Amino acid sequence: MIRARTIALAALLAAPAAGQDNEPTGLELFQLFSDCRPVALFVSSEGAEYGLPEESVRLVAESRLRAARLYADSPDSSAGSLYVQVSALNNSFSVSVSYMKFVTDRLGLNGPAITWISPGFGAHGGDGDYIKSTLYDHLDKFLNEYLRVNADACGGPSP
């Protein structure tokens, strides 16, 4: 009897996961939907002594966005913006990839707001490649989620 209940409970819990599609939730649409418009890129880096000068971080982020066909050569002020920040001090570092877009509040006022963020921090032990690897992970997380939420508008299946 207990075994049958356990199996039934497991089946109920597994059913939504097995039948789930990749449809974005309302929150995800608010955070990342942009009708698949390319994003402006803004970069800040304080990690030159670890091989991560601002230009290097910009090239990494721009390359990822270009590969996904999401880099805006001439940014549209109404489209979203990606902010990439890297900071390294002593033995610690932080990486932040955030998406900002214009939103409308309850009073009908428009303005820019960060709607999605992927922060990270840790110890690097002097290894700039470890920091860069962490940055890649956060950029990939953004791109995967952005493309999934904008899949229909981007003209392809979600990743």
Side-chain angles (χ1 to χ4, degrees), residues 65-156:
L65 288 172
R66 282 188 189 279
R69 300 179 188 263
L70 293 175
Y71 180 74
D73 287 318
S74 54
D76 174 0
S77 62
S78 66
S81 300
L82 191 67
Y83 289 83
V84 177
Q85 298 170 307
V86 176
S87 181
L89 179 64
N90 298 325
N91 238 0
S92 62
F93 75 96
S94 67
V95 170
S96 176
V97 174
S98 55
Y99 181 68
M100 179 180 278
K101 65 180 189 175
F102 280 86
V103 296
T104 304
D105 69 9
R106 290 182 185 187
L107 299 175
L109 301 173
N110 297 318
I114 293 174
T115 57
W116 183 93
I117 189 166
S118 180
F121 59 91
H124 57 73
D127 185 359
D129 287 338
Y130 179 71
I131 301 170
K132 194 177 285 188
S133 171
T134 302
L135 173 61
Y136 290 155
D137 291 346
H138 288 274
L139 287 168
D140 287 347
K141 180 178 179 182
F142 166 75
L143 289 170
N144 284 333
E145 292 186 25
Y146 182 91
L147 290 171
R148 182 180 59 80
V149 169
N150 288 276
D152 289 341
C154 291

